[in-house]
Amino acid sequence: MTLLKTIYQAKRVFISGHTGFKGSWLALWLAESGADVIGYSLDPPTDPNNFQATELQDKITHIRGDVCDLNCLLEAFRRYQPEFVFHLAAQPIVRLSYNEPKMTFDTNVGGTVNIFEAVRLNPSVKVLVNITSDKCYENKEWVWGYRENDPMGGHDPYSASKGCAELVFNAYLNSFFSSSATKKRSVGTASARAGNVIGGGDWGVDRLVPDCIRALHRGQTIGIRNPHAIRPWQHVLEPLYGYLQLGAALRHDPQRYSGAWNFGSSNSSHLTVGEMADRLIQYWGNGSWKDLSDPQAPHEATLLKLNCDKAHAELNWRGVLTIDECLLMTADWYKEFYSGSRMKNMYQFCVSQIRKYEETLASRR
């Protein structure tokens, strides 16, 4: 963790959505790197969850708050005066967005506006990394990857909300945070887009790996909605390392690194949902799945890839884990969590996986 300690040690870092899957891993990694982490989020979205499994509330400052509540958000910024801000709070489920479109737009667009307002009004902030999704792009389901300057879009409410959030990001960057917008202040401001992430501690609804793990743990057959859909899979630590690299680069040179960035998986990690289920079953040790395809189900994309040439060239970032290493790490995490040992310490287990990942980074880059 030497590189991250150099950048983040003793720095105050604000994370929205730290009780979620990706947010909890990011908060843990930064806490282990010596950062003073301020987490702002609603209660964990599932039970169980990684935030409680790792007892993360004992390692960071935990604020229960809603990004849709601007006054509460402004008070948190005023009180803690963060230098770095990572915005991850969101409604992240495509299928839920069909049932709760207003809540999805309120959270993913209105919440993003509130975070940007808090940054605009607090001069302590030097870096803002806005985490969105590969689904922000207008998906034509073509075989090549989307670049950062491709058009925004969104067939479903979730994807559309992420496309809208990108427009908000661009407006605030150009109007308030860039060196050309104001002579008073320059904030390193970036939007980071990643694909489907997997890893231990995710129990999200309507997500492949959590659905598989729930069934495998109970000895049930896994139900698969779209077994032939192709997804770009990556372990959660891969894009998180990209976000942390990006935050460091923005602090060093905000003008050069502000803008949009893709952090996607390699082509070798683009597998069908059915293939992913087969491999996860292999690493779990037993199990089976059945096809629950429904032609009347709400639309979900079948193919979406990212072009990450910019991150490769400018940040020297690239995914280093094979899909089998991703799945093995994921299966090992859940096996540890569900083991009968009273001595299990999921915080330290996460730390051990982070350290192993950093060793892999050093050996393969």
Side-chain angles (χ1 to χ4, degrees):
M1 302 183 183
T2 304
L3 172 61
L4 298 185
K5 282 189 175 180
T6 301
I7 303 301
Y8 294 103
Q9 189 169 37
K11 299 294 174 50
R12 186 157 286 178
V13 182
F14 185 99
I15 302 176
S16 72
H18 69 289
T19 61
F21 169 50
K22 288 174 73 175
S24 59
W25 273 97
L26 180 63
L28 189 154
W29 201 342
L30 280 164
E32 282 298 302
S33 301
D36 179 9
V37 178
I38 312 300
Y40 181 97
S41 182
L42 294 174
D43 293 334
T46 61
D47 184 16
N49 57 81
N50 192 50
F51 177 75
Q52 291 174 331
T54 57
E55 299 181 329
L56 191 55
Q57 67 274 11
D58 297 334
K59 306 289 185 179
I60 68 172
T61 299
H62 167 53
I63 303 172
R64 187 187 184 283
D66 188 344
V67 290
C68 294
D69 185 340
L70 178 59
N71 289 333
C72 183
L73 196 58
L74 290 174
E75 173 57 25
F77 271 70
R78 184 202 63 76
R79 178 176 180 183
Y80 291 101
Q81 297 292 299
E83 181 175 345
F84 293 83
V85 175
F86 290 87
H87 174 43
L88 289 87
Q91 191 296 96
I93 306 299
V94 172
R95 283 165 62 90
L96 178 60
S97 75
Y98 282 102
N99 296 326
E100 298 283 352
K102 183 180 185 303
M103 182 270 286
T104 299
F105 282 106
D106 285 346
T107 303
N108 295 354
V109 183
T112 298
V113 171
N114 288 344
I115 286 285
F116 281 29
E117 275 294 280
V119 171
R120 183 176 71 88
L121 297 172
N122 284 271
S124 66
V125 180
K126 303 298 186 294
V127 169
L128 166 63
V129 180
N130 179 52
I131 312 302
T132 61
S133 166
D134 58 357
K135 294 177 179 63
C136 66
Y137 292 106
E138 182 182 349
N139 188 4
K140 302 180 184 298
E141 307 227 8
W142 52 35
V143 296
W144 51 86
Y146 294 93
R147 299 169 298 176
E148 286 85 351
N149 58 354
D150 279 327
M152 299 293 99
H155 182 282
D156 55 87
Y158 168 76
S159 301
S161 74
K162 288 301 185 179
C164 291
E166 292 287 352
L167 298 180
V168 170
F169 156 77
N170 197 56
Y172 271 82
L173 172 60
N174 292 327
S175 300
F176 306 113
F177 299 147
S178 69
S179 57
S180 59
T182 174
K183 300 185 186 310
K184 296 180 180 179
R185 181 184 177 206
S186 178
V187 179
T189 310
S191 183
R193 305 156 183 173
N196 291 45
V197 296
I198 64 173
D202 184 8
W203 279 277
V205 178
D206 284 335
R207 289 170 58 84
L208 176 64
V209 169
D211 287 347
C212 289
I213 293 298
R214 276 187 286 266
L216 292 171
H217 174 62
R218 296 166 183 166
Q220 299 171 345
T221 301
I222 303 165
I224 302 296
R225 296 193 312 273
N226 298 300
H228 304 296
I230 298 173
R231 296 286 186 263
W233 311 96
Q234 60 186 154
H235 193 273
V236 64
L237 296 181
E238 300 265 50
L240 291 187
Y241 187 70
Y243 305 161
L244 291 168
Q245 274 191 290
L246 180 56
L250 288 164
R251 188 67 181 92
H252 173 69
D253 191 340
Q255 183 170 350
R256 175 179 176 182
Y257 292 103
S258 287
W261 297 82
N262 288 338
F263 296 99
S265 60
S266 65
N267 287 334
S268 63
S269 295
H270 291 191
L271 301 178
T272 68
V273 170
E275 289 170 334
M276 279 288 290
D278 285 334
R279 295 199 192 189
L280 186 58
I281 288 169
Q282 175 187 344
Y283 289 114
W284 187 261
N286 57 72
S288 61
W289 64 270
K290 59 184 177 182
D291 188 346
L292 297 181
S293 300
D294 177 4
Q296 303 302 316
H299 173 271
E300 292 185 78
T302 57
L303 178 63
L304 199 162
K305 296 182 180 180
L306 293 178
N307 180 311
C308 301
D309 289 348
K310 180 181 177 183
H312 296 169
E314 298 294 325
L315 296 174
N316 194 28
W317 177 92
R318 67 190 68 246
V320 298
L321 298 176
T322 67
I323 186 60
D324 289 290
E325 288 172 327
C326 296
L327 286 166
L328 180 59
M329 289 175 66
T330 301
D332 284 348
W333 194 100
Y334 287 107
K335 286 180 180 179
E336 178 68 14
F337 177 82
Y338 284 117
S339 71
S341 172
R342 295 183 179 180
M343 300 299 293
K344 65 186 178 187
N345 185 326
M346 297 313 299
Y347 185 94
Q348 288 303 320
F349 194 84
C350 288
V351 171
S352 70
Q353 289 201 328
I354 290 172
R355 287 176 177 162
K356 183 176 180 180
Y357 173 71
E358 290 182 323
E359 291 171 1
T360 303
L361 268 176
S363 65
R364 295 183 184 177
R365 293 183 69 182

Short mmCIF file of all heavy atoms in Angstrom, two decimals, residues 33-62:
data_model
loop_
_atom_site.label_atom_id
_atom_site.label_comp_id
_atom_site.label_asym_id
_atom_site.label_seq_id
_atom_site.Cartn_x
_atom_site.Cartn_y
_atom_site.Cartn_z
N SER A 33 -4.83 2.65 4.15
CA SER A 33 -3.77 3.47 3.58
C SER A 33 -3.48 4.70 4.42
O SER A 33 -2.70 5.56 4.01
CB SER A 33 -4.15 3.90 2.15
OG SER A 33 -4.36 2.78 1.32
N GLY A 34 -4.15 4.81 5.56
CA GLY A 34 -3.87 5.90 6.49
C GLY A 34 -4.73 7.13 6.31
O GLY A 34 -4.49 8.16 6.95
N ALA A 35 -5.75 7.06 5.46
CA ALA A 35 -6.62 8.23 5.25
C ALA A 35 -7.60 8.39 6.40
O ALA A 35 -7.96 7.42 7.08
CB ALA A 35 -7.38 8.07 3.94
N ASP A 36 -8.02 9.60 6.61
CA ASP A 36 -9.10 9.92 7.56
C ASP A 36 -10.39 9.88 6.76
O ASP A 36 -10.75 10.84 6.07
CB ASP A 36 -8.85 11.29 8.17
CG ASP A 36 -9.96 11.71 9.15
OD1 ASP A 36 -10.82 10.87 9.47
OD2 ASP A 36 -9.95 12.88 9.56
N VAL A 37 -11.10 8.77 6.80
CA VAL A 37 -12.25 8.53 5.94
C VAL A 37 -13.54 9.00 6.61
O VAL A 37 -13.84 8.61 7.74
CB VAL A 37 -12.37 7.04 5.56
CG1 VAL A 37 -13.60 6.80 4.68
CG2 VAL A 37 -11.11 6.57 4.84
N ILE A 38 -14.29 9.84 5.88
CA ILE A 38 -15.60 10.29 6.31
C ILE A 38 -16.63 9.64 5.39
O ILE A 38 -16.69 9.96 4.19
CB ILE A 38 -15.74 11.83 6.24
CG1 ILE A 38 -14.54 12.53 6.88
CG2 ILE A 38 -17.06 12.27 6.85
CD1 ILE A 38 -14.33 12.21 8.33
N GLY A 39 -17.43 8.73 5.92
CA GLY A 39 -18.43 8.06 5.11
C GLY A 39 -19.80 8.67 5.32
O GLY A 39 -20.20 8.94 6.45
N TYR A 40 -20.52 8.89 4.21
CA TYR A 40 -21.85 9.51 4.26
C TYR A 40 -22.78 8.64 3.43
O TYR A 40 -22.60 8.49 2.21
CB TYR A 40 -21.77 10.92 3.69
CG TYR A 40 -23.08 11.69 3.69
CD1 TYR A 40 -23.37 12.59 4.71
CD2 TYR A 40 -24.00 11.55 2.65
CE1 TYR A 40 -24.56 13.32 4.70
CE2 TYR A 40 -25.19 12.27 2.65
CZ TYR A 40 -25.46 13.16 3.67
OH TYR A 40 -26.63 13.88 3.66
N SER A 41 -23.79 8.03 4.08
CA SER A 41 -24.63 7.10 3.36
C SER A 41 -25.88 6.77 4.16
O SER A 41 -25.93 6.97 5.38
CB SER A 41 -23.85 5.81 3.07
OG SER A 41 -24.63 4.89 2.34
N LEU A 42 -26.86 6.22 3.47
CA LEU A 42 -27.99 5.60 4.14
C LEU A 42 -27.55 4.27 4.74
O LEU A 42 -26.40 3.85 4.58
CB LEU A 42 -29.14 5.37 3.14
CG LEU A 42 -29.79 6.64 2.56
CD1 LEU A 42 -30.79 6.26 1.48
CD2 LEU A 42 -30.46 7.45 3.66
N ASP A 43 -28.46 3.59 5.43
CA ASP A 43 -28.13 2.29 5.98
C ASP A 43 -27.74 1.33 4.86
O ASP A 43 -28.13 1.53 3.70
CB ASP A 43 -29.34 1.72 6.74
CG ASP A 43 -29.68 2.52 7.99
OD1 ASP A 43 -28.77 3.17 8.54
OD2 ASP A 43 -30.87 2.51 8.39
N PRO A 44 -26.98 0.29 5.17
CA PRO A 44 -26.61 -0.69 4.14
C PRO A 44 -27.84 -1.19 3.40
O PRO A 44 -28.90 -1.41 4.01
CB PRO A 44 -25.94 -1.80 4.94
CG PRO A 44 -25.40 -1.12 6.16
CD PRO A 44 -26.40 -0.05 6.49
N PRO A 45 -27.74 -1.36 2.09
CA PRO A 45 -28.93 -1.69 1.29
C PRO A 45 -29.39 -3.13 1.42
O PRO A 45 -30.50 -3.46 0.96
CB PRO A 45 -28.46 -1.41 -0.15
CG PRO A 45 -26.97 -1.59 -0.10
CD PRO A 45 -26.55 -1.14 1.26
N THR A 46 -28.58 -4.00 2.01
CA THR A 46 -28.95 -5.41 2.16
C THR A 46 -28.53 -5.90 3.54
O THR A 46 -27.76 -5.25 4.25
CB THR A 46 -28.25 -6.28 1.10
OG1 THR A 46 -26.82 -6.19 1.27
CG2 THR A 46 -28.62 -5.85 -0.31
N ASP A 47 -29.06 -7.06 3.89
CA ASP A 47 -28.64 -7.74 5.12
C ASP A 47 -28.50 -9.22 4.79
O ASP A 47 -29.49 -9.87 4.47
CB ASP A 47 -29.68 -7.54 6.22
CG ASP A 47 -29.26 -8.15 7.56
OD1 ASP A 47 -28.05 -8.44 7.72
OD2 ASP A 47 -30.13 -8.35 8.42
N PRO A 48 -27.24 -9.75 4.83
CA PRO A 48 -26.00 -9.13 5.30
C PRO A 48 -25.43 -8.14 4.29
O PRO A 48 -25.96 -7.94 3.21
CB PRO A 48 -25.07 -10.33 5.49
CG PRO A 48 -25.60 -11.37 4.57
CD PRO A 48 -27.07 -11.17 4.47
N ASN A 49 -24.28 -7.53 4.66
CA ASN A 49 -23.60 -6.56 3.81
C ASN A 49 -22.14 -6.46 4.23
O ASN A 49 -21.77 -6.81 5.35
CB ASN A 49 -24.29 -5.20 3.89
CG ASN A 49 -24.37 -4.69 5.31
OD1 ASN A 49 -23.40 -4.13 5.83
ND2 ASN A 49 -25.51 -4.90 5.98
N ASN A 50 -21.32 -5.95 3.34
CA ASN A 50 -19.88 -5.87 3.59
C ASN A 50 -19.55 -4.86 4.68
O ASN A 50 -18.61 -5.04 5.46
CB ASN A 50 -19.15 -5.51 2.30
CG ASN A 50 -17.64 -5.69 2.41
OD1 ASN A 50 -17.17 -6.73 2.84
ND2 ASN A 50 -16.89 -4.67 2.02
N PHE A 51 -20.31 -3.76 4.75
CA PHE A 51 -20.04 -2.73 5.74
C PHE A 51 -20.12 -3.29 7.15
O PHE A 51 -19.23 -3.05 7.98
CB PHE A 51 -21.05 -1.58 5.56
CG PHE A 51 -20.93 -0.48 6.57
CD1 PHE A 51 -19.90 0.43 6.50
CD2 PHE A 51 -21.86 -0.35 7.60
CE1 PHE A 51 -19.78 1.46 7.44
CE2 PHE A 51 -21.76 0.66 8.53
CZ PHE A 51 -20.72 1.57 8.45
N GLN A 52 -21.17 -4.06 7.44
CA GLN A 52 -21.32 -4.63 8.78
C GLN A 52 -20.44 -5.86 8.97
O GLN A 52 -19.93 -6.10 10.06
CB GLN A 52 -22.78 -4.97 9.03
CG GLN A 52 -23.66 -3.73 9.15
CD GLN A 52 -25.14 -4.04 9.27
OE1 GLN A 52 -25.61 -5.06 8.76
NE2 GLN A 52 -25.89 -3.18 9.95
N ALA A 53 -20.25 -6.63 7.90
CA ALA A 53 -19.42 -7.84 8.01
C ALA A 53 -18.00 -7.49 8.41
O ALA A 53 -17.34 -8.24 9.15
CB ALA A 53 -19.42 -8.60 6.69
N THR A 54 -17.50 -6.35 7.94
CA THR A 54 -16.13 -5.92 8.25
C THR A 54 -16.06 -5.00 9.46
O THR A 54 -14.96 -4.56 9.83
CB THR A 54 -15.52 -5.19 7.04
OG1 THR A 54 -16.36 -4.08 6.69
CG2 THR A 54 -15.39 -6.12 5.84
N GLU A 55 -17.22 -4.69 10.06
CA GLU A 55 -17.29 -3.75 11.19
C GLU A 55 -16.57 -2.44 10.85
O GLU A 55 -15.83 -1.87 11.65
CB GLU A 55 -16.70 -4.39 12.45
CG GLU A 55 -17.46 -5.64 12.88
CD GLU A 55 -16.91 -6.28 14.14
OE1 GLU A 55 -15.69 -6.18 14.38
OE2 GLU A 55 -17.71 -6.86 14.90
N LEU A 56 -16.82 -1.97 9.64
CA LEU A 56 -16.12 -0.80 9.12
C LEU A 56 -16.43 0.46 9.92
O LEU A 56 -15.62 1.40 9.95
CB LEU A 56 -16.50 -0.61 7.65
CG LEU A 56 -15.70 0.39 6.82
CD1 LEU A 56 -14.21 0.09 6.86
CD2 LEU A 56 -16.21 0.39 5.38
N GLN A 57 -17.58 0.50 10.57
CA GLN A 57 -17.94 1.70 11.34
C GLN A 57 -16.94 1.99 12.45
O GLN A 57 -16.86 3.12 12.95
CB GLN A 57 -19.36 1.55 11.93
CG GLN A 57 -19.50 0.47 12.99
CD GLN A 57 -19.78 -0.91 12.41
OE1 GLN A 57 -19.68 -1.12 11.20
NE2 GLN A 57 -20.15 -1.84 13.28
N ASP A 58 -16.16 0.98 12.87
CA ASP A 58 -15.16 1.18 13.92
C ASP A 58 -13.85 1.75 13.38
O ASP A 58 -12.98 2.14 14.16
CB ASP A 58 -14.86 -0.15 14.62
CG ASP A 58 -16.08 -0.71 15.34
OD1 ASP A 58 -16.96 0.08 15.72
OD2 ASP A 58 -16.15 -1.95 15.52
N LYS A 59 -13.71 1.80 12.05
CA LYS A 59 -12.46 2.23 11.44
C LYS A 59 -12.53 3.61 10.80
O LYS A 59 -11.49 4.20 10.50
CB LYS A 59 -12.04 1.21 10.36
CG LYS A 59 -11.95 -0.23 10.84
CD LYS A 59 -10.76 -0.44 11.75
CE LYS A 59 -10.62 -1.92 12.12
NZ LYS A 59 -9.44 -2.16 12.99
N ILE A 60 -13.74 4.11 10.58
CA ILE A 60 -13.92 5.38 9.89
C ILE A 60 -14.97 6.21 10.62
O ILE A 60 -15.59 5.74 11.58
CB ILE A 60 -14.37 5.15 8.42
CG1 ILE A 60 -15.80 4.56 8.39
CG2 ILE A 60 -13.40 4.26 7.67
CD1 ILE A 60 -16.40 4.49 7.00
N THR A 61 -15.17 7.45 10.16
CA THR A 61 -16.27 8.26 10.64
C THR A 61 -17.50 7.95 9.81
O THR A 61 -17.50 8.12 8.58
CB THR A 61 -15.94 9.76 10.54
OG1 THR A 61 -14.80 10.05 11.34
CG2 THR A 61 -17.12 10.61 11.00
N HIS A 62 -18.54 7.45 10.45
CA HIS A 62 -19.75 7.00 9.75
C HIS A 62 -20.88 8.00 9.98
O HIS A 62 -21.28 8.25 11.12
CB HIS A 62 -20.15 5.62 10.27
CG HIS A 62 -21.52 5.18 9.86
ND1 HIS A 62 -21.94 5.16 8.54
CD2 HIS A 62 -22.58 4.74 10.60
CE1 HIS A 62 -23.19 4.72 8.49
NE2 HIS A 62 -23.60 4.48 9.73
#
